[in-house]
Every structure is written in structure tokens, then in C-alpha cells.
Amino acid sequence: MKVSELMDPRGILLYANIDNAADVLGILVELQEHLGVITNGTAYYNAVCQREAFGGTTAIGDGIALPHAGNAGVSAPGVAAMTLRHGVDWGAPDGRPVDLLFMIAVPPEQDSLHLQILARLVNLLGRGALVDALRHASSPQRFLELLQKAENTSFGD
């Protein structure tokens, strides 16, 4: 399954002016809730915060983080995304503030899909040109188009 197929432009927020990780996570959860992906936002938010605190940071370097958690509050697979005007400290291994995030939500019985999404995102986000284009996307629709194009080029239709 393609990451872009799990996304909706209504779940993408660009150039947010947020200065802390807790608020970033809260807004990403709200985006997923509005799309119907998450049915218990409080439970999912708490699970993601616990994952960040005790499971290690979800920052992968280069200003990118992939917050996620396994939780029963998820009704369907989905991915929300956000860019920030100014990066926030995410405890990244390279020390760089995070300004590009993808929140992955997958029902707990779909662990293999969860791993597939993570692997695909890490692969795609290893390409500097795509990451730069996503950070400068003019709209949520354009952000999704850029991701779809990269996915189709890399993994086929």
C-alpha cells in the first residue's frame, strides 16, 4: 500500500507556527480524528507521547520526525503531515530541530502495515530533493502530489 493512498489533503497542515512538540502532536492527532482515522484522540495522543518519552524519539534526522504508536483508538490506517515555520526540538540523533512530520496511525492488529509505512517513508524521505519540495509545497494538494509522484517513480503504480 502506498503512503500517499493513506493521506488526504485535509490531513496536511503547512507552515504551522507551533513551538513545542506536545502541541505539534496534539494537532496531528486532531487532523487524524477529523478524517475518522483516530476514534479516541486522547488515548492515541497519550500513546504517542508515551512512545516519544519511553520508546525513543521518532525523529530520524534532517529535521524529520515520524510520530506513531500502536493503539486501539485507531479505526483505519492513515497518515497526517505537517510542516513547521520554525523547527522544534525533537531529540533528533543529529540534534537538528524538526520541521517536517508524518504521523502514522494504524490499528493495532495491522503491525506489518505499520512497518511497511515506516519503511517506505524513511526510503522516500532519504531523498533531499523530495524533502525540500515538501517543505516548500504551496498547498496540501501540492504536498500530496509531490509525495505521490515520488512514490510512483520509486515503487511503481
Side-chain angles (χ1 to χ4, degrees):
M1 177 170 286
K2 292 184 179 173
V3 173
S4 57
E5 293 172 352
L6 299 174
M7 296 182 74
D8 181 306
R10 296 171 299 157
I12 301 169
L13 179 61
L14 303 179
Y15 308 110
N17 198 15
I18 304 169
D19 62 4
N20 67 79
D23 288 348
V24 169
L25 292 173
I27 291 171
L28 284 166
V29 168
E30 286 177 14
L31 290 170
Q32 297 274 47
E33 268 188 304
H34 290 303
L35 295 173
V37 170
I38 295 174
T39 56
N40 186 335
T42 301
Y44 195 74
Y45 175 82
N46 290 336
V48 171
C49 288
Q50 184 173 8
R51 164 71 179 83
E52 291 288 338
F54 301 110
T57 182
T58 56
I60 61 171
D62 294 323
I64 302 166
L66 307 173
H68 60 277
N71 187 275
V74 179
S75 63
V79 177
M82 181 185 295
T83 63
L84 301 173
R85 289 190 186 277
H86 309 285
V88 299
D89 181 18
W90 213 271
D94 63 1
R96 184 171 167 184
V98 165
D99 66 349
L100 176 62
L101 300 104
F102 289 82
M103 176 176 272
I104 303 163
V106 177
E109 67 276 2
Q110 296 184 342
D111 284 341
S112 64
L113 178 59
H114 193 156
L115 295 174
Q116 288 173 344
I117 295 167
L118 273 171
R120 182 161 284 198
L121 275 171
V122 168
N123 183 309
L124 289 168
L125 297 172
R127 300 151 200 221
L130 172 62
V131 170
D132 189 54
L134 292 173
R135 284 187 169 119
H136 296 96
S138 57
S139 69
Q141 292 80 7
R142 181 66 182 143
F143 185 100
L144 188 52
E145 287 169 9
L146 291 164
L147 193 64
Q148 286 169 332
K149 182 178 178 185
E151 238 180 338
N152 289 340
T153 300
S154 299
F155 303 109
D157 294 325

